[in-house]
Amino acid sequence: MLLTITTTRQPAGDLGYLLHKHPEKFQSFELSFGKARVYYPEVGNDRCTACLLLDVDAVGMVRGKNADQNFLLAQYVNDRPYVASSFMSVAIAQIFGSALQGRCKERPELVTTPMPIEARIDVLSVRGGENVLRGMFEPLGYEVEAVHHPLDERFPEWGESHYFSVTVRKTTTLSELLTHLYVLIPVFDSRKHYFVGEDETEKLLAKGEGWLARHPQKEEIVRRYLRFQPSLYRMALSRLVVEEELVEEDDQTPEKEQAEEKLESPLSLNEQRLMAVMASLRSCGAKRVLDLGCGEGKLIRELLKDRQFEDIVGMDVSVRSLENAMRRLRPERLPERQASRVKLIHGSLMYRDKRLEGFDAASIVEVIEHLDPPRLSAFERVVFEFAKPRTVVLTTPNKEYNVTWETLPAGKFRHADHRFEWTRREFQDWANGIGERFGYSVRFLPVGPENPELGSPTQMGIFQLDGEATR
Ligand code: SAH
């Protein structure tokens, strides 16, 4: 099976940087199910084409297994080696992993640059025919060209097979194209997936973020992707509650973080914020707490020191932050009973998530300003309607205060990744609206030194579920 990717954005050779594969080399990779090869049949300034050729060892995969079962011919003679399937997705993730995740060290600007791209898949097995094929790709803005292959050229009367050579075209980023292929190729695969496992739902939701919830075929995509796993299917669908645009992975670079810390450091605002949040969590009597958008785990470290908090779960969308948090927390140095109080999970606040239900309190510290405003309503439902902790402690910058920082140019946000910063009025209106809609009462507290006109640098809202008195 063959995946061919072509771009005509000049200089087209940039494709080599994006794929992290040198255009002049022919490279081979051993995968657990066979061999993959990457090569460029065409490298020019106007057009560049890369191929990912997958040699699935269908026989090798079954050899030694099922030894005492009947000989099953179909295990040996099948279309596995020729039809793009979940193996292709695994190969994309393993061989074009950086490109899939949208990382490019040498030319980072390319990652976000939309370019005319064409991907050809030889071949896809599509039961239901061309309409099914178009129904999957066209809503995502792809132009689709499909060549239907006959069962056997020598016997036209046998009719068509269900195999298609498929070309999709779109001006988009390479990362988006690969993400769509990663999710959609297995959707056409009629066999049990090579990679369906426990964390498949997470993978699907992570890769589907920003587009799957709005796809008219989302149910079909989820059903087929998680085929043979009805429980996973239902779980995934129930989490795709949100129709709005969904947030993209919000990976923060350490440099950006440092810029914000530097700006705020004369006040040691960070510490004051942590202390204020800790105080609120303590006083509401919470035992089971969530830290949503936990970043590198600064708050979690504080929570761990206090035995009141028996169960601490940190969640973040950024795997890199979670890895750093793990390094900082070093749970291995703790006695097992202590270490077992804390868990870090990967997830997005844009999706309903069963793992977030049943907690006494949640902290959401300096997170909302990283979400795109049209996506805030998704976040609101995920936290206040579905996870529904008794108490929510939420902080965000107070924009009015920014003018006191001489080093911050007027009109600029404190952090390059902030999508907005709110005045006290704006924050309070938003928070009170949530209170009304979801049945919480809200109190507001300043954090950091207060200026009589401008308020404090950080604003904090404490949401208390109505009818649930604070202990
Ligand atoms: N609460 C931490 C980190 C704040 S930075 C602290 O106070 O130090 C904002 C964090 O929100 C980042 O770690 C970012 O990865 C995370 N984030 C952004 N969008 C998110 C989303 N949709 N779901 C979960 N976390 C998200």
Side-chain angles (χ1 to χ4, degrees):
M1 62 184 97
L2 180 65
L3 171 67
T4 310
I5 297 173
T6 301
T7 182
T8 50
R9 179 182 173 274
Q10 298 173 4
D14 280 351
L15 186 62
Y17 287 107
L18 274 172
L19 290 171
H20 287 234
K21 298 285 172 287
H22 200 290
E24 280 164 24
K25 286 191 193 145
F26 178 97
Q27 300 186 50
S28 288
F29 305 86
E30 293 289 337
L31 302 175
S32 56
F33 47 85
K35 274 199 179 65
R37 298 187 168 84
V38 176
Y39 58 93
Y40 289 72
E42 181 180 20
V43 186
N45 191 47
D46 306 338
R47 230 179 118 84
C48 180
T49 299
C51 289
L52 172 60
L53 176 70
L54 214 54
D55 237 345
V56 170
D57 183 3
V59 174
M61 276 189 321
V62 291
R63 190 176 291 139
K65 302 208 177 113
N66 301 323
D68 54 352
Q69 287 192 4
N70 294 334
F71 174 74
L72 296 174
L73 185 65
Q75 289 190 340
Y76 294 86
V77 183
N78 57 41
D79 62 8
R80 270 270 176 238
Y82 317 108
V83 176
S85 60
S86 46
F87 292 118
M88 184 55 100
S89 292
V90 174
I92 289 174
Q94 294 190 351
I95 290 162
F96 295 150
S98 307
L100 176 67
Q101 286 164 31
R103 288 178 213 245
C104 182
K105 251 198 206 125
E106 284 178 65
R107 304 284 304 278
E109 77 286 357
L110 290 177
V111 165
T112 50
T113 309
M115 46 186 76
I117 320 183
E118 183 179 297
R120 182 182 157 114
I121 309 155
D122 286 289
V123 294
L124 265 181
S125 161
V126 187
R127 274 160 228 272
E130 199 170 325
N131 286 342
V132 171
L133 191 64
R134 292 186 180 277
M136 294 292 169
F137 283 105
E138 286 180 347
L140 297 169
Y142 289 93
E143 186 191 313
V144 179
E145 195 183 305
V147 177
H148 204 163
H149 296 292
L151 261 183
D152 191 320
E153 282 158 0
R154 289 166 304 166
F155 302 97
E157 65 278 16
W158 289 1
E160 306 280 25
S161 66
H162 37 76
Y163 300 117
F164 289 82
S165 290
V166 179
T167 307
V168 293
R169 293 187 193 89
K170 185 179 174 184
T171 297
T172 183
T173 61
L174 180 62
S175 158
E176 185 183 79
L177 172 98
L178 291 176
T179 303
H180 289 155
L181 295 179
Y182 177 92
V183 172
L184 292 180
I185 288 176
V187 161
F188 296 106
D189 186 2
S190 60
R191 286 202 186 75
K192 191 170 167 72
H193 291 165
Y194 174 67
F195 61 103
V196 166
E198 280 295 306
D199 62 344
E200 240 18 85
T201 315
E202 298 313 316
K203 277 196 218 158
L204 173 65
L205 292 179
K207 293 275 182 290
E209 206 164 294
W211 61 276
L212 188 53
R214 283 173 293 132
H215 196 296
Q217 300 288 332
K218 72 174 179 204
E219 296 198 3
E220 188 63 8
I221 293 173
V222 175
R223 190 181 66 75
R224 287 172 170 237
Y225 187 97
L226 299 173
R227 203 187 319 258
F228 305 108
Q229 307 266 338
S231 59
L232 291 185
Y233 162 63
R234 280 193 298 274
M235 188 163 85
L237 263 193
S238 71
R239 287 172 57 188
L240 279 172
V241 283
V242 185
E243 294 300 328
E244 290 96 333
E245 280 218 315
L246 305 173
V247 82
E248 283 142 29
E249 171 147 343
D250 191 358
D251 238 355
Q252 302 198 358
T253 63
E255 303 88 81
K256 282 200 221 156
E257 287 293 342
Q258 280 160 11
E260 188 179 18
E261 269 179 25
K262 209 157 128 199
L263 189 68
E264 294 179 341
S265 69
L267 306 169
S268 174
L269 184 54
N270 205 358
E271 271 179 48
Q272 295 183 50
R273 197 157 43 215
L274 282 184
M275 293 310 117
V277 173
M278 282 298 291
S280 308
L281 291 173
R282 279 198 192 102
S283 67
C284 74
K287 292 188 176 143
R288 305 193 63 218
V289 289
L290 283 169
D291 186 23
L292 302 174
C294 62
E296 318 223 319
K298 289 181 214 143
L299 180 66
I300 293 180
R301 213 166 34 178
E302 294 304 314
L303 288 166
L304 253 178
K305 291 183 198 157
D306 189 330
R307 299 280 167 92
Q308 172 183 332
F309 304 108
E310 294 168 4
D311 246 320
I312 306 162
V313 172
M315 183 180 94
D316 206 283
V317 77
S318 155
V319 173
R320 212 179 327 154
S321 296
L322 290 172
E323 283 166 359
N324 289 340
M326 212 51 177
R327 264 196 293 277
R328 273 181 182 224
L329 289 169
R330 292 196 294 133
E332 69 283 357
R333 84 197 141 95
L334 298 172
E336 184 155 340
R337 264 195 56 213
Q338 293 305 316
S340 67
R341 285 165 59 214
V342 63
K343 200 161 100 189
L344 297 181
I345 61 177
H346 182 217
S348 164
L349 285 165
M350 294 296 113
Y351 290 118
R352 178 181 186 174
D353 194 330
K354 281 240 177 314
R355 298 172 302 176
L356 307 184
E357 290 172 17
F359 283 82
D360 302 324
S363 53
I364 307 171
V365 180
E366 306 295 283
V367 174
I368 57 166
E369 63 277 9
H370 293 268
L371 309 179
D372 281 334
R375 295 165 176 177
L376 270 179
S377 57
F379 158 83
E380 293 161 20
R381 294 190 67 196
V382 168
V383 174
F384 295 94
E385 181 179 339
F386 297 117
K388 222 174 176 53
R390 273 195 288 119
T391 307
V392 176
V393 182
L394 187 148
T395 75
T396 193
N398 165 20
K399 172 167 131 189
E400 294 164 81
Y401 198 88
N402 288 357
V403 294
T404 67
W405 281 313
E406 283 160 14
T407 52
L408 185 67
K412 277 262 184 184
F413 293 144
R414 295 183 199 179
H415 188 299
D417 191 54
H418 285 181
R419 309 297 158 94
F420 61 86
E421 283 173 1
W422 276 336
T423 63
R424 283 167 295 171
R425 181 79 279 134
E426 285 169 316
F427 176 55
Q428 293 180 14
D429 285 349
W430 174 77
N432 287 324
I434 287 182
E436 274 163 36
R437 262 175 292 136
F438 301 104
Y440 282 80
S441 35
V442 201
R443 287 181 295 133
F444 299 95
L445 288 177
V447 180
E450 257 192 301
N451 173 302
E453 265 110 62
L454 306 167
S456 59
T458 295
Q459 38 189 349
M460 178 160 83
I462 302 166
F463 300 72
Q464 195 67 43
L465 193 59
D466 290 339
E468 304 257 355
T470 331
R471 269 188 246 148

